[in-house]
Amino acid sequence: MLVFGCAEKKIETAKAQIIPMPVNQEFRDGHFVLSSETEINFEEEFNVAGNFLKAFLEPTLKKKKGVENKINFVKDTSILNPEGYRIEVNPIHIKISATTAQGAFYAVQTLRQLLPAELETGKLKRKDIAIAATKISDQPQFSYRGMHLDVARHMFSVKFIKKYIDALAMLKMNTFHWHLTDDQGWRIEIKQYPKLQEVAAFRDETLIGHYSDQPHRFDGKRYGGYYTQEEIKDIVAYAQERFVTIIPEIEMPGHAQAAIAAYPELGCASTLRHSSGQEASATDEPVEVAKEWGVFEEIYCPNKKTFAFLEGVLDEVLELFPSKYIHIGGDEAPKTRWENCAHCQALIKKEGLKDEHELQSYFITKMEKYLNSKGRQIIGWDEILEGGLAPNATVMSWRGTSGAVEAAKAGHNVVMTPTSHCYFDYYQSENEDEPLAIGGFLPLEKVYGFNPIPEELTTEESTYVLGAQGNIWTEYIPTEDQLEYMAFPRMLAMSEVVWSKPENKNHEDFVLRLEQFHKRLDVLNVNYANHLYEIDGNVVSQNDTTYYKLETLTKGKTIRYTLDGSEPDLNSKIYQSQIPISQSTTIKAAVFKDKKQLGKTFTQNINFHKAVGAKITINKTPHKAYSGSGAKGLINGISGSDSRYGDKEWLGFWGEDIEVTIYFEKPIIINSIETRFYDGNGQWIYAPKHIAMRVIFDNDEIIANKFLPESSENPNLKQVFCEQPILSNRPVKTIKLLVPNYGTIPEGKQGAGNKAWTFIDEIIVN
Ligand code: ACM
Ligand code: ZN
């Protein structure tokens, strides 16, 4: 509890309100009064933390003498983790112990969260503040605690980048992965290569709407810019003062179209594309800085000019960024140019390489050698495993976790950032009025539930997992407000994933602390998303009866609902126990507190079709990141979202043929069977080309082969439908759906060469 102005005004605060959750916090009787007499004492070694605290408390502290009221920083080498700290608050003093400046800094970030949020504004003047006596000892679970930001697709101001770094520091995150170059823009000033500034930093126009909207339309506005070296130095110094390491990412060999637009000789020559035999110095058509999203075929040619260019670029990068790691990208590099380039083919022969994947490995290894010779280490996306991993490389695992498993088993360090749990450019709510996002569905709770250690690793192997990071790709994030909306509060959940021990994590408790933390984010002027007052609904079946269960994340609130399609209000029924369902219904519900509706109204249509309540099996287990409500979810009366394939209703399978079987206890006459598949090719999701439906009667069966139509109203969905007379009016015992996987993703598409995902929705039987 915090008390202002000598107990005349009290503010209740939840006791455990720190994010990320400390390892250990005990509460004691009494409190320390932070007042105008409080002294802050620290040795030079703890300058950063001490000065941060001083500045934070400035308006409150006015020096007076002779009163025993101190905040003391103490070096304590018995604290073994360099990022660890202890705080003791008692009526006489606050003692902050740490073994390093960074540990002391994290102690101050914790102390900050024990103080009223209003202090953040610097406007809370000359009040005494009581801090409940407590003892905290704390240290991180992982040494790599990061957030990524793509500034190539959209760019953000220096002021904003500093605000982002401030948030990382407050949450004890220590790494900012700055994605500085991509097809749509080169954002770091490189003095040796002025065309990077003149050409590569600008695109002529930008795609409007989503990539899957057809036809593509453009806004006609030139877009771009770059960070000058002076700005970058300023940002790096700012981050250092907050113990945030910036890892710059210079993408290679792919995502290089902007650089190739500026310097065409960095791309593959077109000798094999034309059979004239004459060596050209550039690609066929002039390449421009990309105006739309996706994966592009223009990649660096592994020739002398390219290596000289990249080494020159890296020389300047190394001057600006003191980080141990340099991120060299490595993801999504289509090999078509290399396959058709005389130089590349000759190089493959000369080096005795097997194929273009080994050529990529040759490329990355060469760059690794260069960076190692300068005392740095490389980190790259998990594609750098293909064709052989460079000897000292750290792998950033984004396509699921298998890259991490492979790398860790081979003794390489890994950073976890799988799309399923770490891509904050995905939708975070099922509300249809969310701002346009790339796709997917990653609600706060799923981020919070992430365990960076893949199950497949032994304890020994798991020591190679350095930590995890949230990624923010900005194709669909043009403004700083929207970026904050996507980043918060998922960044808070990620901070706890990487800092706190799994046994100290508790989602319900996190939500309570987050509700408190809203105040701090408000005064810090952060445009966070608030989905805490949304309702979570689930079908449950018990003793052959189907029920619908409503829940809300935060306690002490009332849920009211209707079943007739009307909007819930203060007169609607209060939800007390799960609602029995025996026919098709629309449930609408909302959370109320103090006679006010909080959050948005939840709507769920339940289609009580003939398979609801039947038995179902699938011959394969859905991918663990996309297991929805399990097999049962395919016949629970609820269809998945039209735009969020990662919700509870869609089931995802990676590269597998699947067979779904629905059994009816009592054979029934049916008139139709229908289902649908997601077809989000940008996210590697492909509807099957065809499926087979087997309908089994008493002693025979029919098989209907169904090709999936090329396009439908929603380009992301493909429907299949089977109806009478083929079902022949006889009682059906079993329905089987045979769903072959689409196969390998074709060349020219995102993720080419990888297995496609299959996502299947409700199987509706009427
Ligand atoms: C990535 O998302 N292409 C690393
Ligand atoms: Zn080439």
Side-chain angles (χ1 to χ4, degrees):
M1 180 177 298
L2 301 167
V3 188
F4 283 74
C6 296
E8 88 215 4
K9 194 166 143 202
K10 291 181 182 182
I11 294 186
E12 296 279 339
T13 47
K15 273 193 163 180
Q17 58 153 321
I18 303 162
I19 297 176
M21 186 67 159
V23 172
N24 194 7
Q25 180 174 17
E26 294 162 25
F27 293 93
R28 303 284 158 96
D29 289 338
H31 51 253
F32 176 86
V33 179
L34 186 69
S35 72
S36 49
E37 280 88 42
T38 302
E39 248 181 61
I40 303 179
N41 303 310
F42 51 90
E43 298 288 323
E44 198 180 336
E45 187 179 357
F46 293 141
N47 270 352
V48 174
N51 288 329
F52 189 102
L53 185 62
K54 260 190 164 165
F56 191 73
L57 298 175
E58 194 84 90
T60 307
L61 302 180
K62 282 274 180 317
K63 257 269 177 66
K64 268 194 217 163
K65 279 188 187 128
V67 186
E68 191 63 9
N69 181 298
K70 292 179 176 161
I71 301 176
N72 295 324
F73 286 77
V74 179
K75 181 164 173 108
D76 183 343
T77 51
S78 74
I79 296 172
L80 298 178
N81 188 310
E83 296 184 298
Y85 66 88
R86 284 200 286 269
I87 299 177
E88 188 186 338
V89 178
N90 67 34
I92 301 168
H93 66 228
I94 296 178
K95 184 173 152 195
I96 290 174
S97 314
T99 187
T100 67
Q102 191 172 0
F105 182 78
Y106 291 146
V108 169
Q109 299 312 313
T110 293
L111 183 56
R112 176 182 177 185
Q113 293 185 32
L114 295 173
L115 294 166
E118 288 82 349
L119 267 181
E120 303 277 355
T121 61
K123 284 188 190 132
L124 191 74
K125 290 212 162 80
R126 299 209 195 162
K127 288 264 173 76
D128 291 352
I129 299 167
I131 308 172
T134 185
K135 260 181 120 161
I136 297 172
S137 63
D138 200 9
Q139 63 177 58
Q141 196 201 356
F142 292 103
S143 63
Y144 186 111
R145 305 181 301 279
M147 281 298 302
H148 150 288
L149 182 62
D150 164 17
V151 295
R153 277 55 178 263
H154 285 101
M155 196 179 167
F156 307 93
S157 68
V158 169
K159 189 167 164 221
F160 181 84
I161 301 290
K162 289 181 175 175
K163 191 179 176 193
Y164 195 74
I165 291 167
D166 282 338
L168 265 68
M170 174 171 69
L171 298 168
K172 305 186 180 87
M173 295 178 110
N174 60 7
T175 308
F176 171 39
H177 169 180
W178 201 1
H179 184 81
L180 285 163
T181 71
D182 216 303
D183 302 302
Q184 298 82 2
W186 182 285
R187 305 271 174 250
I188 170 173
E189 180 188 22
I190 300 295
K191 296 194 170 167
Q192 295 163 71
Y193 295 102
K195 282 202 218 156
L196 291 176
Q197 285 70 254
E198 289 153 22
V199 178
F202 294 90
R203 59 179 178 258
D204 284 343
E205 53 184 352
T206 302
L207 183 74
I208 297 173
H210 198 275
Y211 186 85
S212 54
D213 299 343
Q214 290 294 343
H216 282 183
R217 289 182 307 125
F218 294 88
D219 65 4
K221 290 185 204 139
R222 194 167 151 81
Y223 182 95
Y226 59 91
Y227 301 96
T228 65
Q229 295 204 348
E230 283 313 303
E231 286 171 333
I232 289 173
K233 277 183 208 156
D234 177 43
I235 289 169
V236 169
Y238 188 87
Q240 273 177 329
E241 281 284 287
R242 287 154 185 79
F243 300 96
V244 172
T245 300
I246 304 184
I247 297 182
E249 180 179 354
I250 306 296
E251 272 269 21
M252 63 188 79
H255 288 292
Q257 188 164 313
I260 294 170
Y263 295 100
E265 62 272 25
L266 303 176
C268 283
S270 56
T271 43
L272 287 191
R273 278 187 278 156
H274 294 290
S275 46
S276 68
Q278 203 165 35
E279 180 142 1
S281 63
T283 48
D284 277 333
E285 293 127 35
V287 171
E288 56 177 6
V289 178
K291 307 187 296 196
E292 57 184 16
W293 322 126
V295 173
F296 297 86
E297 296 196 338
E298 303 312 328
I299 71 173
Y300 292 119
C301 181
N303 59 33
K304 277 207 182 81
K305 280 182 185 153
T306 292
F307 290 120
F309 168 80
L310 288 174
E311 289 177 11
V313 166
L314 287 172
D315 286 344
E316 294 189 34
V317 167
L318 299 185
E319 280 293 312
L320 296 168
F321 295 95
S323 58
K324 167 178 151 194
Y325 287 116
I326 302 295
H327 202 303
I328 47 72
D331 61 320
E332 299 180 319
K335 304 297 187 294
T336 29
R337 289 288 179 261
W338 289 0
E339 283 160 10
N340 293 297
C341 168
H343 169 78
C344 288
Q345 292 306 313
L347 186 59
I348 286 176
K349 274 217 187 81
K350 178 172 159 243
E351 296 293 330
L353 304 173
K354 199 171 86 207
D355 57 13
E356 288 73 21
H357 291 297
E358 289 199 355
L359 183 55
Q360 161 141 346
S361 172
Y362 165 89
F363 192 120
I364 300 292
T365 302
K366 202 165 154 69
M367 297 318 297
E368 178 182 74
K369 270 201 194 116
Y370 187 72
L371 287 166
N372 286 171
S373 78
K374 307 278 173 183
R376 309 297 180 97
Q377 295 291 326
I378 65 162
I379 188 163
W381 301 109
D382 57 52
E383 284 93 332
I384 65 172
L385 282 155
E386 293 162 9
L389 192 52
N392 305 312
T394 293
V395 171
M396 193 167 262
S397 188
W398 72 282
R399 299 175 300 172
T401 56
S402 54
V405 171
E406 185 184 337
K409 285 191 183 291
H412 286 260
N413 285 333
V414 298
V415 173
M416 304 303 296
T417 179
T419 52
S420 57
H421 292 81
C422 300
Y423 270 45
F424 297 174
D425 56 340
Y426 284 15
Y427 285 106
Q428 57 191 313
S429 159
E430 292 183 71
N431 271 325
E432 297 298 331
D433 54 2
E434 285 292 291
L436 179 71
I438 193 162
F441 182 51
L442 177 53
L444 184 66
E445 186 168 2
K446 190 164 180 181
V447 178
Y448 190 79
F450 180 50
N451 179 359
I453 310 254
E455 282 164 9
E456 298 90 331
L457 296 184
T458 63
T459 311
E460 158 89 42
E461 288 159 352
S462 68
T463 58
Y464 292 106
V465 179
L466 302 180
Q469 136 184 320
N471 287 351
I472 308 193
W473 301 99
T474 58
E475 286 94 334
Y476 299 98
I477 308 181
T479 67
E480 297 175 347
D481 260 5
Q482 197 181 329
L483 179 50
E484 289 185 342
Y485 185 85
M486 301 306 274
F488 299 92
R490 288 184 285 192
M491 187 195 292
L492 278 74
M494 185 56 74
S495 80
E496 200 148 307
V497 163
V498 287
W499 181 277
S500 308
K501 293 231 179 294
E503 56 270 30
N504 279 345
K505 278 171 64 192
N506 175 309
H507 183 249
E508 213 169 274
D509 181 68
F510 171 71
V511 166
L512 279 176
R513 282 178 286 129
L514 175 57
E515 211 177 3
Q516 289 286 330
F517 214 98
H518 281 170
K519 274 189 226 132
R520 195 167 302 272
L521 295 174
D522 284 333
V523 296
L524 290 170
N525 205 15
V526 172
N527 181 40
Y528 58 90
N530 182 359
H531 298 293
L532 292 187
Y533 308 125
E534 285 178 1
I535 285 176
D536 184 31
N538 284 293
V539 174
V540 287
S541 43
Q542 263 163 17
N543 308 326
D544 289 335
T545 307
T546 302
Y547 297 92
Y548 202 71
K549 188 173 164 190
L550 297 171
E551 287 169 287
T552 180
L553 280 172
T554 56
K555 302 284 154 213
K557 317 222 164 46
T558 307
I559 297 176
R560 293 176 183 272
Y561 71 96
T562 66
L563 296 175
D564 60 3
S566 64
E567 288 302 308
D569 60 25
L570 286 167
N571 300 316
S572 306
K573 239 180 164 163
I574 293 180
Y575 176 84
Q576 260 143 353
S577 61
Q578 46 199 35
I579 308 160
I581 304 290
S582 57
Q583 61 187 45
S584 294
T585 309
T586 296
I587 297 176
K588 286 189 176 242
V591 174
F592 291 83
K593 185 170 188 206
D594 302 334
K595 309 220 152 162
K596 251 183 40 207
Q597 179 175 340
L598 306 175
K600 299 196 172 116
T601 300
F602 165 86
T603 302
Q604 182 66 71
N605 295 311
I606 298 178
N607 174 6
F608 204 82
H609 58 80
K610 287 181 175 163
V612 175
K615 295 216 160 25
I616 182 167
T617 60
I618 308 177
N619 69 331
K620 296 277 162 59
T621 319
H623 191 278
K624 63 177 185 294
Y626 297 106
S627 54
S629 319
K632 272 250 158 232
L634 293 186
I635 48 168
N636 65 358
I638 300 177
S639 291
S641 158
D642 290 352
S643 54
R644 326 269 206 267
Y645 56 81
D647 69 5
K648 288 192 305 238
E649 306 305 329
W650 287 98
L651 289 189
F653 299 83
W654 197 7
E656 294 176 313
D657 302 335
I658 57 170
E659 191 177 317
V660 183
T661 310
I662 300 170
Y663 310 88
F664 298 101
E665 209 119 282
K666 283 200 214 94
I668 52 164
I669 305 235
I670 61 177
N671 297 311
S672 66
I673 306 167
E674 65 179 279
T675 188
R676 56 185 193 167
F677 296 91
Y678 209 84
D679 200 45
N681 297 357
Q683 280 86 54
W684 308 13
I685 303 169
Y686 284 75
K689 292 170 193 140
H690 60 86
I691 71 166
M693 292 189 187
R694 268 177 74 192
V695 180
I696 302 166
F697 306 98
D698 211 11
N699 45 23
D700 63 340
E701 62 175 62
I702 51 170
I703 298 182
N705 277 308
K706 290 277 166 183
F707 283 85
L708 274 82
E710 214 15 78
S711 70
S712 57
E713 230 160 81
N714 182 332
N716 285 329
L717 299 171
K718 287 195 173 174
Q719 215 123 6
V720 271
F721 193 75
C722 180
E723 61 185 331
Q724 294 288 16
I726 193 168
L727 300 170
S728 64
N729 262 324
R730 285 183 290 152
V732 172
K733 281 173 71 176
T734 305
I735 297 171
K736 276 185 190 285
L737 260 58
L738 311 177
V739 181
N741 180 256
Y742 178 88
T744 303
I745 300 173
E747 277 305 320
K749 295 280 195 175
Q750 301 229 31
N754 288 282
K755 298 176 290 181
W757 285 81
T758 305
F759 274 79
I760 183 170
D761 193 11
E762 183 79 2
I763 299 167
I764 300 168
V765 179
N766 278 314

